[in-house]
Amino acid sequence: MSDGDLVIVYEKHDNMKAAKVRENLVLQNRFGVFKHSDWIGRLFGSKVFSNKSEFVYMLAPTPELRTLVLSHRTQILYVADISFVTIYLELVPSCLVLESGTGSGSLTTSLARVVAPTGHVYTFDFHEKGPASAR
Ligand SMILES: C[S@@+](CC[C@H](N)C(=O)[O-])C[C@H]1O[C@@H](n2cnc3c(N)ncnc32)[C@H](O)[C@@H]1O
């Protein structure tokens, strides 16, 4: 993990949140205080400890996890429907995708992963406020 990375802080399967790693910040929860600086240089999947010797896991922000932690600005697509959409559209790396109705961006992150590294996703929403998943 590096300064500026988005990470998923995993407490348990029904308690996860997204955080942006910032060298000078701390994360405070019921387990105590976690210094972001302790996370830098560690691998995704690492167990990290608080000032009270309690722990959380730091997970990579996969599209599946982002779907679970993002702030819902709209109704969102979940993994079953996302899988159907990507297979039905026969999306593969290098595809060019135009998505209308970004909403909270749940589908968008999966589209981006499917077409990477040479494809591209263009997404549009007539509602000005964008996805809030990194907050
Ligand atoms: C249900 S949400 C999409 C959720 C998104 N697929 C996800 O998984 O997070 C529908 C979105 O479509 C947008 N929308 C509806 N009609 C549209 C249009 N004609 N052009 C662009 N965006 C539109 C709405 O503003 C809303 O944000």
Side-chain angles (χ1 to χ4, degrees):
M1 289 174 275
S2 310
D3 193 42
D5 277 354
L6 182 70
V7 295
I8 307 294
V9 180
Y10 176 100
E11 292 183 22
K12 53 189 184 129
H13 75 280
D14 59 354
N15 197 346
M16 289 182 263
K17 64 184 285 191
K20 198 155 239 185
V21 179
R22 289 284 177 224
E23 182 141 25
N24 309 323
L25 293 187
V26 296
L27 171 82
Q28 195 154 7
N29 63 16
R30 65 201 167 103
F31 297 132
V33 178
F34 296 80
K35 289 196 274 181
H36 287 210
S37 56
D38 291 343
W39 306 345
I40 292 173
R42 305 287 305 276
L43 295 174
F44 284 117
S46 295
K47 196 174 184 177
V48 295
F49 291 85
S50 71
N51 62 331
K52 295 179 179 171
S53 300
E54 300 277 2
F55 66 86
V56 295
Y57 289 97
M58 309 299 295
L59 305 182
T62 62
E64 291 80 6
L65 290 176
R66 291 184 73 153
T67 289
L68 295 177
V69 301
L70 58 75
S71 314
H72 292 199
R73 192 184 65 69
T74 62
Q75 178 58 272
I76 67 165
L77 265 69
Y78 288 92
V79 67
D81 294 317
I82 291 171
S83 307
F84 176 77
V85 169
T86 53
I87 289 169
Y88 197 72
L89 292 177
E90 299 181 10
L91 296 179
V92 291
S94 87
C95 278
L96 194 61
V97 179
L98 175 59
E99 178 191 26
S100 180
T102 317
S104 305
S106 177
L107 174 62
T108 316
T109 51
S110 285
L111 295 174
R113 183 177 61 182
V114 172
V115 305
T118 52
H120 207 97
V121 178
Y122 295 92
T123 185
F124 169 77
D125 201 302
F126 64 18
H127 194 283
E128 266 185 45
K129 202 164 179 217
S133 59
R135 284 187 203 149

